[in-house]
Amino acid sequence: MTTKWSMKSNPFTKRLAVLSMSAMMATVLAACGGSTEAPTAEDAGKYEANPGEPFSAYKDEISVTMGRVTTANPKLPAGDTYENNAYTRLVKDTFNAKITDQFEANGEDYSRQVSLAIASGELPDMMRVDSKDELKELVDNDLIEDLTAVYDQYATKEIKKIYDSYDGRALNNATIDGRLMGLPATSLDSAPTMVWVRQDWLDLLGIKLDADGDGAITLEEVEQTAQQFLKKDPGQSGNPVGIPFVNTMNTTDYNGSAYTMLGVASTQNAFPQYWMKGEDGKILYGSTTEETKQMLGIMANWFKAGIIDPQFGTRTFDDITALYANGQSGIAFGPWHIPDWGLISVKQLDKNAKFSAYTLEDANGKVNVAHANPSNQFIVVRKGYEHPELAVKIVNLFYDKLANDKDVATTMPEAAKYQETGVDGSTRPFNIEVNSATSLLDDYSDVVRGIKGEISLDEVRTTESKNNIGSIKTYLSDMDTDNTTAWSKYHSRINGVGLIDKLTKEKKFVWMTPAFSGTTSSMKQTWANLSKLEQESFIKIITGSEPIDYFDTFVVNWRKQGGDQVIQEIESEITSQP
């Protein structure tokens, strides 16, 4: 939770207000009355040599400090760092802008760095914030720039087209009081959570999954397969374990669904942690429904039978990944792209490793999924930074020019090499994705047609898809290849996205649209405790320290300790919306 503080009592903010006045005159003038006219020639000279051009360089080198979201294994080549790599050098070459990282961190450590920056007022020039709450707090304390005018002026047609594909939902998420206060990441529907199973183990044991070939399997099939893996130890680890799950257990982000119970919940039409409308039209918290209770009953039975890792509740995310890499477990729940950054560690240690992707179906043969919140991450610019338009230009460079350049190997060779070798996207200046609402399946179509030779590489829309075609062809020519990038791209695109494409075309999905995503006033004080109550109660039920009926006690406590108040606030907020 970030620390709330007052502008009136913070001398740093007062200094910012004075310092930013002249630098922001052009933006303020352009923004008045909603105008998006270009700055005057005199004002524009403060920004760049060619005002209005989305890829023009600055006359003199400029500097920009950043807060960077990192990852544990970025796969950077030797000598390169987050601050100095092909992508940051591309920014320097294109715009004459030098990036310096004010801080670098991952996960909760990054959240703490952002909270400290907000509390002190010492923001980097640009950084990512990971909630609408943080965005509002920055606006309330007058710490970030209004990007309305610079977005209108500098964003390319393609970037505007991408945001428009969400029918206004993405930009609206970043808009406060009618002003665009951040550049939103986009989160397209990437459901469902998949069940990734070691295919080489299935072959070794003669297990046939998905007899009808529809890509969906039952809980019973998962259970039986897990039992066989435990009994026969096909990974020859000497210490096989059941299916590992993270102790947070659930998520409302399918992209972040690795090792969660979201897939199991879907079989019961349960949506833990989602806000939904009940049949009576009233707001429900998905973690308190009877369907979630049924899901916990299944998990408790699995734990008792050893199907779930006996150390459930205590292992870290990295611990779980190590279980797969060491051949101790062969069933993983996760998103379509988990082979690229998680399961790839299995291939690195076992050249024979192969996975097949399935999803879980309910008793009616359907796959229950929820629509994604189109954006909950935002790139913000410090109030007073002299070049707020640079944020838009960086978005243009990476999510339009680099993504769509037909000759990137010639025009941006270093960046092209990064894409070809699978360097993690977090090494870009902004660790976000900006893709159209249909881009996942559009790219899959390009990849499949490119592999088959139905379209030329020049007709493939994105550089990433071109690289994926090359990687997948490498894998198809030698499925025992040591090329881990080729292995991972085949698994994530052909097996992973291919399953989403198949289920979409066959109309297997039953979609739920969340009623609310965000934070209410009382959640700022109560949500940490409510989340802790939920996590601890669910762990107790699953591990058997409490019976399944303890769920009813959890619901009563959850409502008394602030849940009812949150529901009232959500209903009030929904009612007040135009």
Side-chain angles (χ1 to χ4, degrees):
M1 183 64 65
T2 52
T3 303
K4 193 74 172 178
W5 57 280
S6 169
M7 287 172 53
K8 294 179 181 178
S9 62
N10 193 301
F12 179 81
T13 305
K14 293 180 180 179
R15 294 197 300 273
L16 269 183
V18 174
L19 290 171
S20 65
M21 184 64 71
S22 61
M24 285 305 300
M25 280 300 293
T27 302
V28 171
L29 289 171
C32 288
S35 171
T36 58
E37 294 180 5
T40 64
E42 180 181 356
D43 286 328
K46 300 174 184 177
Y47 290 92
E48 57 174 331
N50 300 299
E53 291 296 324
F55 300 108
S56 57
Y58 296 89
K59 296 177 182 177
D60 301 315
E61 180 183 278
I62 66 169
S63 63
V64 53
T65 59
M66 289 196 178
R68 299 287 292 280
V69 185
T70 63
T71 191
N73 181 25
K75 295 185 279 188
L76 282 164
D80 279 2
T81 65
Y82 270 91
E83 191 173 73
N84 182 14
N85 62 57
Y87 292 141
T88 60
R89 292 190 288 270
L90 180 60
V91 171
K92 178 64 171 67
D93 292 343
T94 306
F95 302 126
N96 200 20
K98 179 176 175 57
I99 293 174
T100 303
D101 292 347
Q102 182 166 313
F103 58 82
E104 299 176 357
N106 188 24
E108 293 181 1
D109 289 337
Y110 181 80
S111 298
R112 280 192 288 271
Q113 291 283 358
V114 171
S115 296
L116 288 171
I118 295 174
S120 67
E122 300 285 348
L123 270 63
D125 297 328
M126 299 176 192
M127 68 177 180
R128 190 184 91 183
V129 296
D130 291 342
S131 72
K132 185 69 174 280
D133 260 2
E134 287 179 329
L135 184 68
K136 287 179 179 177
E137 188 170 5
L138 288 163
V139 171
D140 290 345
N141 290 295
D142 196 29
L143 287 173
I144 56 174
E145 288 288 348
D146 176 351
L147 301 179
T148 310
V150 293
Y151 173 79
D152 287 344
Q153 181 177 346
Y154 290 94
T156 63
K157 290 181 180 179
E158 179 62 23
I159 292 300
K160 290 178 178 178
K161 181 181 177 183
I162 288 172
Y163 282 128
D164 289 346
S165 72
Y166 293 87
D167 298 324
R169 291 177 296 149
L171 289 178
N172 286 346
N173 268 5
T175 299
I176 297 176
D177 295 331
R179 313 305 299 169
L180 184 67
M181 302 307 298
L183 300 174
T186 60
S187 182
L188 55 153
D189 285 325
S190 55
T193 294
M194 296 179 186
V195 186
W196 292 88
V197 185
R198 285 286 297 263
Q199 183 61 47
D200 52 316
W201 291 6
L202 294 175
D203 294 340
L204 180 66
L205 300 180
I207 298 172
K208 303 292 185 183
L209 279 179
D210 190 27
D212 59 7
D214 66 351
I217 58 178
T218 65
L219 285 174
E220 290 74 20
E221 289 177 280
V222 173
E223 182 177 331
Q224 291 164 9
T225 302
Q227 288 173 331
Q228 288 297 304
F229 285 179
L230 286 168
K231 180 180 178 180
K232 298 181 179 178
D233 189 17
Q236 298 182 343
S237 68
N239 183 27
V241 300
I243 304 170
F245 292 93
V246 285
N247 57 19
T248 48
M249 292 172 282
N250 298 300
T251 180
T252 57
D253 176 13
Y254 284 91
N255 272 316
S257 65
Y259 315 149
T260 69
M261 300 186 299
L262 191 56
V264 179
S266 70
T267 66
Q268 308 305 303
N269 201 24
F271 294 96
Q273 299 185 358
Y274 282 88
W275 295 101
M276 308 178 294
K277 278 191 178 181
E279 293 181 0
D280 58 0
K282 293 183 178 180
I283 292 295
L284 292 173
Y285 181 53
S287 296
T288 64
T289 64
E290 282 297 310
E291 290 82 3
T292 294
K293 182 179 181 180
Q294 293 167 14
M295 179 267 290
L296 290 173
I298 292 167
M299 296 292 289
N301 289 336
W302 276 11
F303 184 84
K304 185 177 180 180
I307 292 166
I308 290 178
D309 171 20
Q311 294 187 39
F312 166 69
T314 63
R315 292 196 200 269
T316 67
F317 192 94
D318 289 342
D319 290 339
I320 293 173
T321 301
L323 292 176
Y324 296 112
N326 295 334
Q328 292 176 261
S329 192
I331 300 175
F333 286 81
W336 64 265
H337 47 78
I338 195 173
D340 292 338
W341 49 267
L343 301 183
I344 194 172
S345 62
V346 181
K347 172 65 174 177
Q348 289 167 343
L349 292 178
D350 184 350
K351 67 176 184 178
N352 297 315
K354 295 181 176 65
F355 283 86
S356 290
Y358 308 95
T359 192
L360 287 168
E361 61 186 6
D362 65 13
N364 298 315
K366 292 294 184 179
V367 179
N368 301 304
V369 287
H371 282 299
N373 177 5
S375 179
N376 206 35
Q377 296 173 336
F378 312 93
I379 299 298
V380 297
V381 178
R382 174 182 61 81
K383 187 69 174 284
Y385 179 59
E386 188 176 2
H387 301 286
E389 75 289 342
L390 178 61
V392 181
K393 295 171 75 169
I394 289 174
V395 168
N396 293 339
L397 177 60
F398 286 92
Y399 306 103
D400 180 1
K401 190 171 185 178
L402 179 60
N404 298 310
D405 193 319
K406 299 295 185 183
D407 191 24
V408 68
T410 301
T411 59
M412 293 172 273
E414 264 203 312
K417 188 66 175 177
Y418 267 34
Q419 293 183 323
E420 181 183 343
T421 56
V423 174
D424 193 79
S426 66
T427 58
R428 296 170 300 192
F430 298 155
N431 189 352
I432 61 172
E433 297 299 333
V434 180
N435 298 306
S436 71
T438 62
S439 62
L440 186 65
L441 297 185
D442 292 343
D443 289 346
Y444 173 74
S445 175
D446 276 6
V447 168
V448 171
R449 290 186 296 154
I451 291 169
K452 293 178 178 179
E454 295 174 358
I455 58 174
S456 68
L457 285 182
D458 287 341
E459 296 175 278
V460 175
R461 296 180 313 114
T462 69
T463 302
E464 182 180 12
S465 290
K466 288 181 182 179
N467 291 331
N468 288 336
I469 289 170
S471 294
I472 293 168
K473 282 185 174 181
T474 296
Y475 180 78
L476 291 174
S477 67
D478 177 14
M479 291 190 175
D480 295 321
T481 179
D482 292 330
N483 187 324
T484 55
T485 298
W487 181 94
S488 68
K489 297 306 179 184
Y490 174 86
H491 279 75
S492 62
R493 269 63 182 184
I494 302 303
N495 288 353
V497 184
L499 179 58
I500 296 175
D501 185 68
K502 174 182 174 64
L503 296 170
T504 300
K505 289 176 178 175
E506 295 177 358
K507 303 187 185 304
K508 288 275 286 188
F509 289 133
V510 177
W511 290 96
M512 186 275 290
T513 301
F516 177 80
S517 60
T519 306
T520 68
S521 56
S522 71
M523 287 173 77
K524 297 176 183 178
Q525 287 74 45
T526 64
W527 200 250
N529 288 333
L530 288 173
S531 296
K532 182 180 179 182
L533 172 67
E534 177 180 331
Q535 181 179 3
E536 291 178 348
S537 299
F538 285 14
I539 289 175
K540 289 176 181 178
I541 292 170
I542 293 170
T543 58
S545 64
E546 294 286 357
I548 186 62
D549 286 341
Y550 182 73
F551 179 82
D552 302 327
T553 302
F554 153 70
V555 173
V556 170
N557 291 336
W558 183 88
R559 296 177 73 93
K560 285 182 177 179
Q561 294 179 27
D564 276 345
Q565 177 64 30
V566 172
I567 288 175
Q568 290 176 15
E569 291 171 352
I570 292 174
E571 288 179 337
S572 176
E573 185 167 334
I574 291 175
T575 301
S576 65
Q577 290 176 353

